[in-house]
Amino acid sequence: MIDVIDLHKSFGDNEVLKGINITINQGDKVVVIGPSGSGKSTFLRCLNCMEDATSGKIMYHGVDITDMSVDINVHRQKMGMVFQHFNLFNNKTVIENIMLSPVLVAKKANKKLKRAERKSVREIKAQKREEALALLKRIGLEDKADAYPSQLSGGQKQRVAIVRSLAMNPDVILFDEPTSALDPEMVGEVLDVMKELAEDGMTMVVVTHEMGFAREVGNRILFMDDGKILEEGAPEEIFESPQNPRLKDFLSKVL
């Protein structure tokens, strides 16, 4: 699905990514671990072009999305993103947050249809509301549909942010430290939703400090430090027989 080829990213004189090479296949659960400042979040933000690569290629379904002539918004529709701080619109209700992008995309697609085949805006919104309610039911928050983000706990906000990504029927969801802004007792409810997605076969790339989640859910673990992937392998290889001295040192401090 995604081929990252010699990816470099610099901010001024600061080279943050120093030649990343990785292939992410459909159905992979890739968990990226490493110390703070190692380039993990920058790598994730480059994957969906929230940050422009300085050099290298990111091939998504065979298309180089670092090419400036490519309409990245078309590809981004199929690449969900869940942020550390939720990024919900505080002036919109929970269901409006979830419906926003699907309604916009459906309206654009609707305009391209023959007049006789077009739906009314009301029909589009009704359909997307029904789909959004089904997603909220899936995470046990259908009773919060008309609440505002300020009325939710951190764990509830993050669960809403996850189903907001799901509402676009993405091929892959990128998670940027989705539990790091949560109180410890709320972490479990978010990880449970992510585990359910993994079981359903969703392709996921997850930057996290939750080593238990990495070991349980990831089928591939990437260890990053100083802008490079220093070791990659299955969870049992990474956690039980690490090879790289820097990885051994890191695990000795976090396990």
Side-chain angles (χ1 to χ4, degrees), residues 197-209:
L197 285 179
E199 287 165 9
D200 289 347
M202 175 60 70
T203 306
M204 301 161 68
V205 185
V206 185
V207 170
T208 187
H209 294 292

Side-chain angles (χ1 to χ4, degrees), residues 91-117:
N91 63 332
K92 294 188 180 294
T93 63
V94 164
I95 199 152
E96 285 170 345
N97 266 281
I98 296 169
M99 289 169 58
L100 184 63
S101 293
V103 167
L104 286 173
V105 171
K107 280 182 183 176
K108 279 187 180 178
N110 199 46
K111 283 179 182 175
K112 294 177 182 175
L113 296 175
K114 293 174 185 173
R115 189 174 293 274
E117 296 171 353

Side-chain angles (χ1 to χ4, degrees), residues 2 47-48 60 65 75-81 170 172 174:
I2 304 172
L47 281 184
N48 75 342
Y60 180 54
I65 59 175
H75 299 281
R76 224 181 247 148
Q77 287 171 21
K78 289 296 178 185
M79 201 181 275
M81 183 93 180
V172 56
L174 313 176

